[in-house]
Amino acid sequence: MPRCSCGHGSLGRDDTTGSLVCESCGTVQEFRNFEDRAVSPSGVQQGSYVRVGTSGTGGSLAYKEKKVYEANKLIDEIALRLNLSGRSLNEIRSMVDRITEGEYGSGDWFHVPIGACSYVEMRIQNKAYSIGEVSEVVGCDIYELGRMIARVVEHLELRLPEFDIVNAFERVVTNLATLGMGKAFD
């Protein structure tokens, strides 16, 4: 067993940081922090010890918790860009949780189901965003988003309200006026 330079104690692994620490004086051994390899009684290497999920100096974040955290962060970002908050944000989180069966996801594909759930929630709330606007915010192809919306509606067995064309027209006129093009309608 390795010994400390103080000569009094042996070294043990600190559970929080994974560093080798003198059990007598508490000195952290900075240059001798390595993971021992597991060896069978016959001397054959069986693998190595790996600390999964540690971050920085101490905190431990499990794989699933990290996935949930990253998923909620992405949901928040997309909802913010679509001006959704409060009850709508909670509904989107709930829909994503149900369609992924609590497994969430990561990577370049995960923003598409979030966009689909956001669009579905906006339709339920009678907000007049088009699929094109949502696909632009989410950063995906409009057809890909449309297919995902259909899958979300089918999987969650939802019935969306009819599209309100008057509300959509008012939104277009308001956006044109905001862009300075409203003078053509005066």
Side-chain angles (χ1 to χ4, degrees):
M1 185 79 177
R3 297 189 65 76
C4 178
S5 57
C6 74
H8 291 94
S10 61
L11 300 176
R13 187 154 312 273
D14 179 48
D15 292 333
T16 306
T17 65
S19 299
L20 287 176
V21 179
C22 177
E23 293 174 350
S24 178
C25 69
T27 303
V28 177
Q29 303 299 307
E30 295 185 28
F31 300 107
R32 299 180 70 178
N33 290 329
F34 60 90
E35 296 287 336
D36 295 330
R37 298 190 184 269
V39 179
S40 71
S42 63
V44 177
Q45 181 177 339
Q46 294 179 327
S48 59
Y49 296 108
V50 179
R51 289 182 58 97
V52 178
T54 58
S55 60
T57 56
S60 183
L61 190 60
Y63 174 73
K64 171 112 174 144
E65 291 168 338
K66 185 174 185 325
K67 258 189 2 180
V68 171
Y69 170 77
E70 293 295 331
N72 282 326
K73 191 167 85 170
L74 186 58
I75 291 168
D76 289 345
E77 288 173 15
I78 291 172
L80 180 65
R81 286 187 259 157
L82 292 169
N83 296 322
L84 298 171
S85 61
R87 182 186 156 329
S88 294
L89 182 59
N90 290 335
E91 283 299 316
I92 294 167
R93 283 190 180 133
S94 174
M95 280 188 230
V96 171
D97 183 59
R98 286 183 287 169
I99 64 172
T100 62
E101 296 174 348
E103 292 299 319
Y104 296 93
S106 59
D108 294 335
W109 65 273
F110 191 60
H111 60 282
V112 179
I114 294 171
C117 291
S118 299
Y119 178 80
V120 167
E121 177 59 22
M122 287 188 296
R123 283 287 303 277
I124 291 170
Q125 297 296 324
N126 286 322
K127 294 186 179 177
Y129 280 83
S130 68
I131 294 176
E133 289 173 299
V134 175
S135 72
E136 188 175 317
V137 167
V138 171
C140 69
D141 182 64
I142 190 170
Y143 300 105
E144 181 181 21
L145 181 62
R147 286 190 300 271
M148 184 58 72
I149 290 168
R151 292 175 67 189
V152 167
V153 169
E154 181 183 336
H155 181 76
L156 298 177
E157 298 174 350
L158 298 173
R159 181 167 163 80
L160 296 179
E162 293 295 321
F163 189 76
D164 186 356
I165 192 80
V166 174
N167 193 5
F169 181 72
E170 286 176 355
R171 180 169 159 69
V172 168
V173 170
T174 303
N175 285 342
L176 288 174
T178 304
L179 294 173
M181 298 176 172
K183 294 177 184 173
F185 293 108
D186 292 337

